[in-house]
Amino acid sequence: RKGSVQCASTLVKDAKFVMNASHKQRLQKVANMLRDHKLRDLVLFGVAYHHAGLEPTDRKAVETAFMQGDIPVLISTSTLAMGVNLPAHLVIIKSTLHYTCSMYEEYSELQ
């Protein structure tokens, strides 16, 4: 969870997305709905994170905004990414390992 928040924060500092006034207004509307203050700040720049620790209302708002194309970048934990079914143009997988039974294992092809 912490890694996805850090990644989103770093991306906002290093990358700038071109957005028109209408897009910025839509992001402001999404941000105003969010309870997570860090997430709210990042969404204004078009970047969000998605992990199991988010409030359900925040998670749904982020998913909806991403599916509608308002949030161009969504960073997710590996566990949640395995179960999230959202359309994306580009997916970057940081690692195919997960921690289970006190050791790291590769995800199986079925997971």
Side-chain angles (χ1 to χ4, degrees):
R1 294 179 191 179
K2 185 178 177 182
S4 58
V5 175
Q6 283 180 320
C7 182
S9 298
T10 300
L11 185 60
V12 163
K13 291 177 191 171
D14 294 341
K16 302 296 178 218
F17 300 99
V18 178
M19 294 182 274
N20 61 31
S22 174
H23 190 180
K24 288 179 183 178
Q25 287 177 336
R26 291 192 306 273
L27 289 175
Q28 182 66 60
K29 188 175 179 180
V30 173
N32 290 341
M33 296 169 34
L34 301 172
R35 297 179 70 185
D36 184 309
H37 296 286
K38 290 179 186 176
L39 182 58
R40 185 182 304 152
D41 293 342
L42 295 170
V43 163
L44 294 173
F45 294 96
V47 177
Y49 51 84
H50 190 279
H51 59 66
L54 285 179
E55 296 279 338
T57 55
D58 284 1
R59 188 181 309 171
K60 183 66 176 169
V62 165
E63 289 174 2
T64 300
F66 182 76
M67 284 190 290
Q68 292 173 343
D70 292 334
I71 296 175
V73 178
L74 180 62
I75 297 163
S76 175
T77 57
S78 58
T79 305
L80 213 55
M82 296 300 288
V84 174
N85 186 11
L86 297 173
H89 294 285
L90 174 67
V91 175
I92 299 170
I93 300 172
K94 183 178 173 183
S95 175
T96 58
L97 296 175
H98 68 284
Y99 192 77
T100 183
C101 299
S102 71
M103 61 184 278
Y104 285 98
E105 293 181 350
E106 287 279 344
Y107 281 109
S108 72
E109 290 183 29
L110 298 176
Q111 288 178 310

